[in-house]
Amino acid sequence: LLILDSLCLQNGFVCVESATCSDKGIYKNIETLLLTISATNGDLASNFLKAVQDGNINDLEKESLNKIAYDLRAFLVLFESRIKETE
């Protein structure tokens, strides 16, 4: 899974675990998924504001921001998939 994640990240793709996508996943309910997207977006904004307070984003902060941004993209891809299922 780490290799696949790395390849996806290098090529601008997002990997979403099949368990998350299945009807039995914790994001079966679209409202729960939307709340998760909002919370993750808030985490990204909060961590970014903390990182730029000193005028320099260090490597640890970059790694954290990249992880949160990747998770946010994965949730958005999943949301898009759920919306298409409703059409």
Side-chain angles (χ1 to χ4, degrees):
L1 191 59
L2 291 174
I3 294 171
L4 183 58
D5 271 343
S6 178
L7 288 171
C8 287
L9 190 58
Q10 288 174 3
N11 294 296
F13 294 102
V14 176
C15 297
V16 180
E17 294 181 34
S18 61
T20 306
C21 289
S22 74
D23 287 338
K24 296 180 177 105
I26 63 171
Y27 301 113
K28 179 180 179 182
N29 182 325
I30 199 164
E31 289 85 2
T32 302
L33 180 56
L34 189 55
L35 289 172
T36 303
I37 290 169
S38 273
T40 305
N41 188 44
D43 289 345
L44 182 60
S46 175
N47 280 282
F48 176 76
L49 291 174
K50 287 178 190 173
V52 297
Q53 278 181 341
D54 63 359
N56 183 29
I57 300 176
N58 66 38
D59 289 341
L60 187 59
E61 292 167 330
K62 284 179 189 176
E63 185 177 327
S64 176
L65 289 169
N66 279 326
K67 167 78 171 91
I68 296 168
Y70 182 86
D71 290 346
L72 182 58
R73 283 193 310 272
F75 290 132
L76 289 169
V77 166
L78 187 55
F79 183 79
E80 182 180 19
S81 172
R82 292 285 190 251
I83 292 297
K84 287 179 181 176
E85 288 174 3
T86 63
E87 292 177 351

